[in-house]
Amino acid sequence: MSVVIPVYNEAENVERLCARILPVLRGLGKSFELILVDDGSRDETLELLLDARSKNPEVVVRSFARNFGQHAAVTAGFAAARGEFVVTLDADLQNPPEEIPRLVAEYDRGHDLVGTIRTRRQDSWFRKRASKFVNRMTRRMSGIDLHDFGCMLRGYSREIAQSIAARREVRTFIPALGYLYAKNPVEIDVAHEARHEGKSKYSLLRLFRLHLDLMTGFSLAPLRLLFSVGSFVAAAGILFGVLLLVLRLVEGPEWAAFGVFTLFAVLFMFVGAQFIAFGLLGEYVGRIFQAVRERPAYVLRDLAEDDATRSSRSVTLTPTVRAPRAGATAVGTHEGRGP
Ligand code: UDP
Ligand code: MG
Protein backbone atom coordinates (compact mmCIF):
# COMPACT_ATOMS: atom_id res chain seq x y z
CA MET A 1 0.00 0.00 0.00
CA SER A 2 0.94 3.66 -0.35
CA VAL A 3 0.35 6.38 2.22
CA VAL A 4 0.32 9.94 0.86
CA ILE A 5 0.80 12.92 3.15
CA PRO A 6 0.89 16.57 2.05
CA VAL A 7 3.31 18.55 4.21
CA TYR A 8 3.50 22.33 4.33
CA ASN A 9 5.61 24.11 6.96
CA GLU A 10 5.23 21.25 9.43
CA ALA A 11 8.81 21.09 10.74
CA GLU A 12 7.62 20.55 14.33
CA ASN A 13 5.45 17.61 13.31
CA VAL A 14 7.51 15.62 10.81
CA GLU A 15 9.54 13.54 13.29
CA ARG A 16 6.57 12.77 15.50
CA LEU A 17 4.52 11.86 12.42
CA CYS A 18 7.11 9.37 11.15
CA ALA A 19 7.61 7.95 14.64
CA ARG A 20 3.87 7.26 14.94
CA ILE A 21 2.96 6.15 11.46
CA LEU A 22 5.86 3.87 10.50
CA PRO A 23 5.28 1.31 13.33
CA VAL A 24 1.58 1.16 12.41
CA LEU A 25 2.35 0.50 8.75
CA ARG A 26 5.05 -2.06 9.58
CA GLY A 27 2.59 -3.78 11.90
CA LEU A 28 0.20 -4.40 8.99
CA GLY A 29 2.61 -6.95 7.55
CA LYS A 30 2.16 -5.73 3.98
CA SER A 31 4.75 -4.01 1.83
CA PHE A 32 4.20 -0.27 1.85
CA GLU A 33 5.63 3.11 0.94
CA LEU A 34 5.19 6.42 2.76
CA ILE A 35 5.03 9.28 0.26
CA LEU A 36 5.66 12.66 1.83
CA VAL A 37 4.91 15.57 -0.49
CA ASP A 38 6.49 18.85 0.55
CA ASP A 39 4.20 21.59 -0.69
CA GLY A 40 6.89 24.26 -1.10
CA SER A 41 7.59 24.62 2.64
CA ARG A 42 9.69 27.57 3.74
CA ASP A 43 10.89 26.11 7.04
CA GLU A 44 13.10 23.04 7.58
CA THR A 45 10.36 20.61 6.55
CA LEU A 46 12.11 19.45 3.36
CA GLU A 47 15.41 18.76 5.17
CA LEU A 48 13.55 16.75 7.81
CA LEU A 49 11.70 14.78 5.13
CA LEU A 50 14.93 13.98 3.32
CA ASP A 51 16.42 12.97 6.66
CA ALA A 52 13.50 10.60 7.27
CA ARG A 53 14.01 9.17 3.80
CA SER A 54 17.69 8.47 4.46
CA LYS A 55 16.76 6.56 7.64
CA ASN A 56 13.74 4.65 6.32
CA PRO A 57 13.80 2.84 2.98
CA GLU A 58 9.99 2.97 2.76
CA VAL A 59 9.90 6.78 2.65
CA VAL A 60 9.56 8.55 -0.70
CA VAL A 61 9.81 12.35 -0.91
CA ARG A 62 8.40 14.70 -3.50
CA SER A 63 8.84 18.45 -3.29
CA PHE A 64 7.00 21.30 -4.99
CA ALA A 65 8.91 24.33 -6.25
CA ARG A 66 6.43 26.54 -4.42
CA ASN A 67 3.19 26.25 -2.49
CA PHE A 68 0.52 24.75 -4.74
CA GLY A 69 -1.95 23.70 -2.06
CA GLN A 70 -2.90 20.58 -0.16
CA HIS A 71 -4.95 19.00 -2.93
CA ALA A 72 -2.26 19.51 -5.57
CA ALA A 73 0.20 17.85 -3.16
CA VAL A 74 -2.08 14.84 -2.71
CA THR A 75 -2.48 14.60 -6.50
CA ALA A 76 1.32 14.51 -6.88
CA GLY A 77 1.43 11.79 -4.22
CA PHE A 78 -1.13 9.77 -6.19
CA ALA A 79 0.96 10.13 -9.34
CA ALA A 80 3.97 8.72 -7.47
CA ALA A 81 2.06 5.98 -5.62
CA ARG A 82 2.69 2.36 -6.56
CA GLY A 83 0.53 0.69 -3.93
CA GLU A 84 -2.63 -1.27 -4.55
CA PHE A 85 -4.44 0.74 -1.84
CA VAL A 86 -3.63 4.42 -1.35
CA VAL A 87 -4.32 6.14 1.97
CA THR A 88 -4.16 9.91 2.51
CA LEU A 89 -3.92 11.78 5.80
CA ASP A 90 -2.73 15.07 7.28
CA ALA A 91 0.79 15.70 8.56
CA ASP A 92 -0.31 17.50 11.73
CA LEU A 93 -1.50 14.25 13.36
CA GLN A 94 -5.13 15.37 13.47
CA ASN A 95 -5.86 12.05 11.76
CA PRO A 96 -4.53 9.31 14.07
CA PRO A 97 -2.33 6.92 12.05
CA GLU A 98 -3.62 4.13 14.32
CA GLU A 99 -6.90 4.24 12.33
CA ILE A 100 -5.19 3.15 9.08
CA PRO A 101 -5.61 -0.63 9.75
CA ARG A 102 -9.38 -0.09 9.94
CA LEU A 103 -9.34 1.51 6.48
CA VAL A 104 -7.30 -1.41 5.15
CA ALA A 105 -9.86 -3.84 6.62
CA GLU A 106 -12.66 -2.07 4.69
CA TYR A 107 -10.61 -2.26 1.51
CA ASP A 108 -10.06 -5.98 2.08
CA ARG A 109 -13.83 -6.29 2.41
CA GLY A 110 -14.13 -5.04 -1.18
CA HIS A 111 -14.67 -1.29 -0.83
CA ASP A 112 -12.70 0.66 -3.40
CA LEU A 113 -13.18 3.98 -1.59
CA VAL A 114 -13.06 4.24 2.18
CA GLY A 115 -14.32 7.60 3.39
CA THR A 116 -14.34 8.73 6.99
CA ILE A 117 -16.40 10.87 9.33
CA ARG A 118 -14.60 12.60 12.18
CA THR A 119 -16.18 11.87 15.53
CA ARG A 120 -15.59 14.29 18.41
CA ARG A 121 -13.84 16.67 16.08
CA GLN A 122 -11.04 18.66 17.71
CA ASP A 123 -11.33 21.94 15.85
CA SER A 124 -12.59 25.40 16.71
CA TRP A 125 -16.33 25.94 17.16
CA PHE A 126 -16.36 28.10 14.04
CA ARG A 127 -14.65 25.43 11.89
CA LYS A 128 -17.10 22.77 13.02
CA ARG A 129 -20.14 24.96 12.29
CA ALA A 130 -18.77 26.05 8.90
CA SER A 131 -18.00 22.43 7.95
CA LYS A 132 -21.49 21.31 8.85
CA PHE A 133 -22.98 24.01 6.64
CA VAL A 134 -20.60 23.35 3.73
CA ASN A 135 -21.11 19.58 3.96
CA ARG A 136 -24.87 19.94 3.80
CA MET A 137 -24.81 22.47 0.97
CA THR A 138 -22.30 20.53 -1.12
CA ARG A 139 -24.20 17.30 -0.62
CA ARG A 140 -27.35 18.90 -1.99
CA MET A 141 -25.77 20.85 -4.83
CA SER A 142 -23.41 18.21 -6.18
CA GLY A 143 -25.47 15.13 -5.45
CA ILE A 144 -22.33 13.58 -3.91
CA ASP A 145 -23.41 11.61 -0.88
CA LEU A 146 -20.49 12.24 1.49
CA HIS A 147 -20.94 13.26 5.11
CA ASP A 148 -17.54 14.75 5.87
CA PHE A 149 -15.93 16.26 2.78
CA GLY A 150 -13.09 17.80 4.80
CA CYS A 151 -11.60 14.73 6.45
CA MET A 152 -8.48 13.73 4.55
CA LEU A 153 -7.98 10.37 6.25
CA ARG A 154 -9.24 8.30 3.34
CA GLY A 155 -8.39 5.22 1.33
CA TYR A 156 -8.58 4.85 -2.45
CA SER A 157 -8.07 1.84 -4.68
CA ARG A 158 -5.11 2.19 -7.02
CA GLU A 159 -7.56 2.61 -9.93
CA ILE A 160 -9.26 5.64 -8.34
CA ALA A 161 -5.98 7.24 -7.24
CA GLN A 162 -4.60 6.93 -10.76
CA SER A 163 -7.72 8.37 -12.34
CA ILE A 164 -7.45 11.36 -10.02
CA ALA A 165 -3.75 11.78 -10.82
CA ALA A 166 -4.46 11.56 -14.55
CA ARG A 167 -6.98 14.39 -14.47
CA ARG A 168 -4.56 17.04 -13.25
CA GLU A 169 -7.18 19.65 -12.54
CA VAL A 170 -5.69 22.89 -11.29
CA ARG A 171 -8.01 23.44 -8.38
CA THR A 172 -9.91 20.49 -7.13
CA PHE A 173 -11.13 18.71 -4.05
CA ILE A 174 -9.81 15.16 -3.84
CA PRO A 175 -12.43 13.45 -1.61
CA ALA A 176 -15.24 14.62 -3.90
CA LEU A 177 -13.29 13.71 -7.04
CA GLY A 178 -12.58 10.25 -5.63
CA TYR A 179 -16.25 9.66 -5.09
CA LEU A 180 -16.96 10.24 -8.80
CA TYR A 181 -14.83 7.18 -9.64
CA ALA A 182 -15.87 4.91 -6.80
CA LYS A 183 -17.81 1.74 -7.48
CA ASN A 184 -18.35 0.58 -3.93
CA PRO A 185 -17.69 3.40 -1.44
CA VAL A 186 -18.13 3.19 2.31
CA GLU A 187 -17.83 5.70 5.16
CA ILE A 188 -16.58 4.81 8.64
CA ASP A 189 -16.28 6.83 11.85
CA VAL A 190 -12.73 7.73 12.84
CA ALA A 191 -11.14 9.47 15.79
CA HIS A 192 -9.83 13.01 15.48
CA GLU A 193 -7.15 14.75 17.49
CA ALA A 194 -6.08 18.31 18.04
CA ARG A 195 -3.22 19.53 15.84
CA HIS A 196 0.06 18.25 17.34
CA GLU A 197 2.10 21.46 16.91
CA GLY A 198 1.82 24.72 14.97
CA LYS A 199 -1.21 26.43 13.52
CA SER A 200 -3.69 25.55 10.79
CA LYS A 201 -2.41 26.44 7.33
CA TYR A 202 -5.83 27.71 6.33
CA SER A 203 -6.69 31.33 6.97
CA LEU A 204 -10.32 32.32 6.67
CA LEU A 205 -9.71 33.49 3.10
CA ARG A 206 -7.94 30.25 2.07
CA LEU A 207 -10.72 28.24 3.64
CA PHE A 208 -13.28 30.20 1.69
CA ARG A 209 -11.33 29.65 -1.55
CA LEU A 210 -11.03 25.94 -0.84
CA HIS A 211 -14.76 25.65 -0.36
CA LEU A 212 -15.30 27.63 -3.52
CA ASP A 213 -13.18 24.99 -5.30
CA LEU A 214 -15.43 22.32 -3.89
CA MET A 215 -18.60 24.13 -4.87
CA THR A 216 -17.64 25.34 -8.34
CA GLY A 217 -15.65 22.19 -9.13
CA PHE A 218 -18.50 19.79 -8.55
CA SER A 219 -21.64 21.69 -9.30
CA LEU A 220 -22.95 24.12 -11.88
CA ALA A 221 -25.82 24.98 -9.52
CA PRO A 222 -24.63 28.60 -8.86
CA LEU A 223 -24.56 29.28 -12.62
CA ARG A 224 -27.91 27.62 -13.12
CA LEU A 225 -29.27 29.78 -10.32
CA LEU A 226 -28.20 32.86 -12.30
CA PHE A 227 -30.25 31.59 -15.21
CA SER A 228 -33.40 30.89 -13.21
CA VAL A 229 -33.24 34.09 -11.14
CA GLY A 230 -32.44 36.01 -14.34
CA SER A 231 -35.44 34.54 -16.13
CA PHE A 232 -37.69 35.44 -13.21
CA VAL A 233 -36.43 39.05 -13.09
CA ALA A 234 -36.74 39.30 -16.88
CA ALA A 235 -40.32 38.03 -16.88
CA ALA A 236 -41.29 40.39 -14.03
CA GLY A 237 -39.60 43.35 -15.79
CA ILE A 238 -41.28 42.70 -19.10
CA LEU A 239 -44.71 42.24 -17.48
CA PHE A 240 -44.31 45.45 -15.52
CA GLY A 241 -43.17 47.29 -18.67
CA VAL A 242 -46.20 46.08 -20.59
CA LEU A 243 -48.46 47.11 -17.69
CA LEU A 244 -46.98 50.63 -17.73
CA LEU A 245 -47.48 50.92 -21.49
CA VAL A 246 -51.10 49.75 -21.27
CA LEU A 247 -51.86 52.15 -18.42
CA ARG A 248 -50.22 54.96 -20.40
CA LEU A 249 -52.58 54.25 -23.32
CA VAL A 250 -55.66 54.05 -21.04
CA GLU A 251 -54.89 56.88 -18.62
CA GLY A 252 -53.20 59.26 -21.03
CA PRO A 253 -49.80 61.03 -21.10
CA GLU A 254 -50.44 62.96 -17.91
CA TRP A 255 -50.68 59.75 -15.82
CA ALA A 256 -47.40 58.56 -17.28
CA ALA A 257 -45.65 61.84 -16.31
CA PHE A 258 -45.27 62.79 -19.94
CA GLY A 259 -43.05 59.99 -21.11
CA VAL A 260 -41.10 59.18 -17.91
CA PHE A 261 -43.08 55.99 -17.17
CA THR A 262 -42.91 54.92 -20.81
CA LEU A 263 -39.17 55.28 -20.63
CA PHE A 264 -39.15 53.09 -17.50
CA ALA A 265 -41.26 50.50 -19.25
CA VAL A 266 -38.73 50.29 -22.09
CA LEU A 267 -35.86 50.15 -19.55
CA PHE A 268 -37.42 47.26 -17.61
CA MET A 269 -37.75 45.23 -20.79
CA PHE A 270 -34.10 45.79 -21.67
CA VAL A 271 -32.89 44.93 -18.18
CA GLY A 272 -34.94 41.75 -18.34
CA ALA A 273 -33.42 40.83 -21.70
CA GLN A 274 -29.93 41.38 -20.24
CA PHE A 275 -30.60 39.01 -17.36
CA ILE A 276 -31.63 36.30 -19.79
CA ALA A 277 -28.47 36.94 -21.79
CA PHE A 278 -26.33 36.63 -18.62
CA GLY A 279 -27.98 33.36 -17.76
CA LEU A 280 -27.38 31.97 -21.25
CA LEU A 281 -23.75 33.12 -21.19
CA GLY A 282 -23.44 31.44 -17.78
CA GLU A 283 -24.56 28.14 -19.32
CA TYR A 284 -21.89 28.39 -21.99
CA VAL A 285 -19.20 29.44 -19.50
CA GLY A 286 -20.15 26.41 -17.38
CA ARG A 287 -19.64 24.12 -20.34
CA ILE A 288 -16.29 25.70 -21.23
CA PHE A 289 -15.24 25.40 -17.59
CA GLN A 290 -15.97 21.70 -17.68
CA ALA A 291 -13.96 21.26 -20.85
CA VAL A 292 -10.79 23.11 -19.84
CA ARG A 293 -9.93 21.34 -16.61
CA GLU A 294 -6.98 19.43 -18.04
CA ARG A 295 -4.15 21.79 -17.12
CA PRO A 296 -1.06 20.79 -15.09
CA ALA A 297 -1.81 21.12 -11.38
CA TYR A 298 1.78 21.56 -10.15
CA VAL A 299 5.46 21.85 -11.05
CA LEU A 300 7.81 19.34 -9.43
CA ARG A 301 11.16 20.37 -7.99
CA ASP A 302 14.08 18.20 -9.14
CA LEU A 303 15.26 15.78 -6.45
CA ALA A 304 18.07 14.17 -8.44
CA GLU A 305 18.94 11.17 -6.25
CA ASP A 306 15.42 9.95 -5.65
CA ASP A 307 14.45 10.39 -9.29
CA ALA A 308 17.36 8.30 -10.52
CA THR A 309 16.44 5.30 -8.38
CA ARG A 310 12.76 5.59 -9.15
CA SER A 311 13.07 5.89 -12.92
CA SER A 312 15.15 2.69 -13.07
CA ARG A 313 12.47 0.90 -11.06
CA SER A 314 9.59 2.39 -12.94
CA VAL A 315 10.32 0.29 -16.02
CA THR A 316 8.76 -2.69 -14.33
CA LEU A 317 6.70 -1.13 -11.58
CA THR A 318 4.84 1.81 -13.06
CA PRO A 319 1.47 0.63 -14.30
CA THR A 320 -0.11 2.19 -17.34
CA VAL A 321 -2.06 5.26 -16.36
CA ARG A 322 -5.61 4.59 -17.30
CA ALA A 323 -7.54 7.36 -19.00
CA PRO A 324 -10.25 8.66 -16.68
CA ARG A 325 -13.29 6.47 -17.06
CA ALA A 326 -15.81 8.63 -18.92
CA GLY A 327 -14.78 11.50 -16.67
CA ALA A 328 -16.91 14.14 -18.34
CA THR A 329 -20.00 12.00 -18.22
CA ALA A 330 -19.49 11.14 -14.57
CA VAL A 331 -19.15 14.81 -13.67
CA GLY A 332 -22.11 15.66 -15.85
CA THR A 333 -24.32 13.15 -14.10
CA HIS A 334 -23.69 14.70 -10.72
CA GLU A 335 -23.89 18.26 -11.92
CA GLY A 336 -27.14 17.55 -13.63
CA ARG A 337 -28.84 16.95 -10.29
CA GLY A 338 -28.77 20.59 -9.19
CA PRO A 339 -30.57 21.88 -6.13
N1 UDP B 1 -1.16 21.56 3.62
C1 UDP B 1 -0.45 21.58 2.41
N2 UDP B 1 -0.47 22.72 1.68
C2 UDP B 1 -1.16 23.83 2.06
C3 UDP B 1 -1.90 23.78 3.27
C4 UDP B 1 -1.87 22.63 4.01
O1 UDP B 1 0.17 20.61 2.04
O2 UDP B 1 -1.11 24.82 1.34
C5 UDP B 1 -1.13 20.33 4.42
C6 UDP B 1 -0.73 20.51 5.87
O3 UDP B 1 0.68 20.43 6.03
C7 UDP B 1 -1.45 19.37 6.55
C8 UDP B 1 -2.72 19.24 5.74
O4 UDP B 1 -2.45 19.85 4.47
O5 UDP B 1 -0.73 18.16 6.43
C9 UDP B 1 -3.91 19.90 6.41
O6 UDP B 1 -3.60 21.24 6.74
P1 UDP B 1 -4.08 21.92 8.10
O7 UDP B 1 -3.87 20.98 9.23
O8 UDP B 1 -3.41 23.24 8.21
O9 UDP B 1 -5.61 22.14 7.81
P2 UDP B 1 -6.82 22.01 8.83
O10 UDP B 1 -6.60 20.79 9.65
O11 UDP B 1 -6.79 23.24 9.64
O12 UDP B 1 -8.01 21.90 7.94
MG1 MG C 1 -5.00 20.06 10.55
Side-chain angles (χ1 to χ4, degrees), residues 90 92 94 195:
D90 287 348
D92 59 356
Q94 287 203 276
R195 181 173 247 283

Side-chain angles (χ1 to χ4, degrees), residues 149-223:
F149 283 88
C151 185
M152 288 304 280
L153 176 59
R154 281 168 192 279
Y156 306 83
S157 70
R158 144 171 225 91
E159 214 184 9
I160 296 178
Q162 298 237 317
S163 301
I164 293 175
R167 279 181 77 102
R168 298 190 174 244
E169 290 185 32
V170 186
R171 308 195 60 90
T172 192
F173 205 91
I174 306 276
L177 200 52
Y179 186 89
L180 297 185
Y181 296 107
K183 294 189 203 99
N184 186 16
V186 68
E187 278 185 314
I188 58 171
D189 285 340
V190 289
H192 192 241
E193 291 176 10
R195 181 173 247 283
H196 180 60
E197 287 289 340
K199 279 201 294 203
S200 170
K201 307 296 177 255
Y202 286 100
S203 62
L204 199 60
L205 185 68
R206 281 197 82 181
L207 214 56
F208 179 71
R209 277 208 221 115
L210 186 75
H211 287 140
L212 218 54
D213 286 347
L214 176 59
M215 205 171 69
T216 57
F218 294 90
S219 165
L220 289 184
L223 273 179

